[in-house]
Amino acid sequence: MKLKYPYAMYDNGVYQGERTSKEWAEMLQVSVHLVRDYAREGRSYKGRYTFKAVREERTDELTHSEDPQITVQDLQEFKRTLKVGSKFVYGDSSKVVVVRKYRNLVELVRPEDSKRPVTMTYAELYKQKKNKSKKKLTVGR
């Protein structure tokens, strides 16, 4: 089952409502990808229409603080360069290896216990990697 995320549309800054990208695309006679891309990039279509992705916040998302230093481009580059077999170290010093890559998740296993895979989002794994590199930099100073 596909999740449907609504997008708010603004016509010259005036709120027009919330609908799915497919509904807005049909209304404006454009592709669905155009609505998604313009919402993600913050651009305006024909200098007039702007879109914003609207999602209901889950309680587990509210507990995690967002790292403003991580950009969408950073995550896309990380996702592109991440390979099956890449090795990482968790904060608790346990080593893990990337087993599978999915659209939004990465499956990891510990080499000593390969029967119990763990999944993480790309953002979680990237934050883990970034925090590890910061610690190494501060220790060396």
Side-chain angles (χ1 to χ4, degrees):
M1 181 176 128
K2 234 180 187 180
L3 295 176
K4 294 183 180 182
Y5 292 112
Y7 289 85
M9 184 178 82
Y10 299 86
D11 185 357
N12 289 324
V14 178
Y15 178 74
Q16 299 297 311
E18 293 179 8
R19 299 192 177 164
T20 63
S21 57
K22 184 177 180 181
E23 292 170 329
W24 286 124
E26 288 172 358
M27 183 181 288
L28 296 172
Q29 297 179 349
V30 296
S31 75
V32 174
H33 300 288
L34 182 133
V35 174
R36 293 178 189 156
D37 291 344
Y38 277 64
R40 184 180 61 241
E41 296 166 6
R43 297 187 303 162
S44 61
Y45 175 64
K46 292 189 175 180
R48 177 178 174 182
Y49 302 106
T50 54
F51 303 94
K52 183 177 178 186
V54 179
R55 295 184 183 173
E56 291 183 20
E57 294 182 358
R58 298 183 315 197
T59 55
D60 60 290
E61 289 176 342
L62 294 174
T63 58
H64 299 298
S65 62
E66 291 295 321
D67 187 356
Q69 298 170 349
I70 296 175
T71 64
V72 173
Q73 289 81 11
D74 290 339
L75 283 177
Q76 288 174 343
E77 179 66 18
F78 177 69
K79 184 176 179 180
R80 188 182 64 74
T81 59
L82 184 68
K83 305 289 182 210
V84 172
S86 298
K87 298 175 183 178
F88 292 91
V89 178
Y90 271 175
D92 63 354
S93 299
S94 62
K95 296 178 183 179
V96 293
V97 178
V98 176
V99 179
R100 286 190 186 96
K101 290 172 54 177
Y102 297 101
R103 184 175 179 197
N104 297 316
L105 297 172
V106 180
E107 187 175 331
L108 308 161
V109 295
R110 290 189 174 110
E112 61 271 3
D113 188 13
S114 61
K115 300 284 183 191
R116 294 179 34 199
V118 177
T119 57
M120 293 179 77
T121 64
Y122 287 97
E124 291 170 336
L125 191 58
Y126 184 73
K127 285 179 186 178
Q128 187 72 31
K129 178 183 174 189
K130 193 169 182 172
N131 288 339
K132 237 357 176 186
S133 64
K134 279 185 183 178
K135 288 178 184 176
K136 286 180 183 176
L137 289 175
T138 56
V139 170
R141 289 185 178 178

